[in-house]
Amino acid sequence: MRLASITQEVVDRSYQYVLTKGASASPATKVRGVLTPLRAVLEFAAIRQWCDRPAFKGPSIPKTRSTFLRPDEATRLIESSSKHIRPLLIFLLGTGCRMSEAIDLDWRDVDLRGARVVVWQKQGNERHVDLPPRVVNILQALPDRDGPVFRPRYRRGIGRGYADKARMSGGQIKSAWSVACRKAGLPGRQRVWIPKGQDKEKMAFVPDVTPHDLRHTWASWHYCLHRDIIALKDDGGWSTMSIVARYAKKMPDSYRDEIRVWLGWDQ
């Protein structure tokens, strides 16, 4: 199809043909699966004056609640998790790094003496992250000092880190995360389904909390401790203040001392 022929009507119809659930797909899936890549292609073409800049109206995405854990819930989660993912979860809670940043972290970017690591955002930006004492201690206890910092229990093929999915999908710790949340008593639901080509039902616990919510937790803790939204924006690597504002005043002041102890500042 010619670029000039891609109209709003074409975009609206494309959901039906591109997405697995068609027009009934969620607004977020429509934006992620169709609208965002289409805009990227047309923006590329517009820069080269092959077409006008894209101007499409996307589906409205309902606002979701930012989930975060209290210190006691975080403790239950860590104590309920498998030994091989425990350092990763503590790192996420103590630094606010994204899962992709943590999975990609290499020992050459870790400075234990300086209590700092360098992570790389998906845009290729370098970000320096300070480590609280508890995270430093858990990293010092890891056996390796080369290659990926965090590694799965079993890894076949070349490399010792988690599978490289080019940051296009998550799920590297999906099963271990589900088990940890269930054992920790965190909310969720039981999913029952019959796999394609089989007759027997399968059941799995689907937690309401996701690994990305550990970043929300860190942000809520950060503001509770420092009451500095500018520092939170910089330390968390967010691009806009509007995103950061949602974390302000999420965690009551009464948790401040407990958070400091959890992170190892008051031992």
Side-chain angles (χ1 to χ4, degrees):
M1 178 178 290
R2 295 177 62 85
L3 299 180
S5 301
I6 302 177
T7 62
Q8 181 70 53
E9 183 180 358
V10 172
V11 174
D12 293 340
R13 289 203 312 266
S14 66
Y15 301 134
Q16 178 180 350
Y17 300 101
V18 175
L19 302 176
T20 302
K21 294 185 178 180
S24 61
S26 69
T29 299
K30 290 178 180 179
V31 171
R32 182 176 59 250
V34 175
L35 201 55
T36 297
L38 177 60
R39 281 174 172 161
V41 170
L42 293 181
E43 184 72 19
F44 178 90
I47 292 173
R48 289 153 181 79
Q49 298 182 350
W50 299 341
C51 68
D52 294 332
R53 285 190 176 276
F56 302 118
K57 180 177 175 57
S60 298
I61 300 178
K63 293 183 178 180
T64 58
R65 180 180 178 182
S66 296
T67 302
F68 59 93
L69 302 179
R70 296 187 299 271
D72 63 304
E73 293 173 322
T75 296
R76 294 205 315 268
L77 176 66
I78 297 302
E79 292 177 346
S80 302
S81 62
S82 300
K83 185 177 179 180
H84 74 286
I85 69 163
R86 195 169 296 167
L88 173 60
L89 300 186
I90 293 175
F91 178 83
L92 295 174
L93 281 162
T95 64
C97 286
R98 301 170 179 87
M99 175 65 77
S100 58
E101 294 171 339
I103 293 300
D104 289 348
L105 182 63
D106 193 278
W107 276 110
R108 65 175 177 268
D109 293 320
V110 177
D111 179 2
L112 290 177
R113 180 179 176 183
R116 178 173 289 182
V117 299
V118 177
V119 298
W120 300 88
Q121 296 174 286
K122 60 184 179 182
Q123 301 88 349
N125 299 327
E126 177 181 329
R127 188 161 69 88
H128 294 257
V129 179
D130 293 324
L131 307 177
R134 183 168 185 178
V135 174
V136 173
N137 292 338
I138 199 69
L139 293 181
Q140 286 177 333
L142 293 177
D144 302 295
R145 285 296 181 273
D146 67 310
V149 174
F150 301 108
R151 309 176 185 191
R153 180 180 297 167
Y154 304 107
R155 181 77 163 94
R156 295 180 178 180
I158 300 174
R160 293 170 292 172
Y162 283 88
D164 181 7
K165 298 184 179 181
R167 300 193 176 195
M168 295 302 293
S169 63
Q172 290 94 339
I173 63 168
K174 183 178 180 180
S175 297
W177 174 261
S178 174
V179 171
C181 289
R182 178 177 55 80
K183 289 183 176 180
L186 298 180
R189 61 182 176 84
Q190 288 291 345
R191 180 190 173 211
V192 180
W193 79 101
I194 299 177
K196 186 176 181 180
Q198 300 183 22
D199 298 325
K200 189 176 180 180
E201 282 188 346
K202 292 193 67 174
M203 179 181 297
F205 178 74
V206 181
D208 292 342
V209 182
T210 69
H212 190 72
D213 289 327
L214 301 187
R215 178 166 165 82
H216 300 323
T217 298
W218 169 85
S220 301
W221 290 9
H222 187 290
Y223 189 81
C224 181
L225 290 177
H226 306 292
R227 286 292 187 261
D228 188 337
I229 200 167
I230 301 298
L232 174 56
K233 175 180 176 295
D234 293 340
D235 292 347
W238 282 284
S239 57
T240 63
M241 190 63 71
S242 60
I243 297 176
V244 183
R246 74 178 70 174
Y247 303 111
K249 300 183 180 179
K250 288 283 187 180
M251 187 69 62
D253 292 345
S254 57
Y255 288 101
R256 184 176 296 134
D257 291 342
E258 194 174 345
I259 291 171
R260 287 186 60 83
V261 171
W262 202 99
L263 295 174
W265 295 116
D266 294 335
Q267 294 289 353

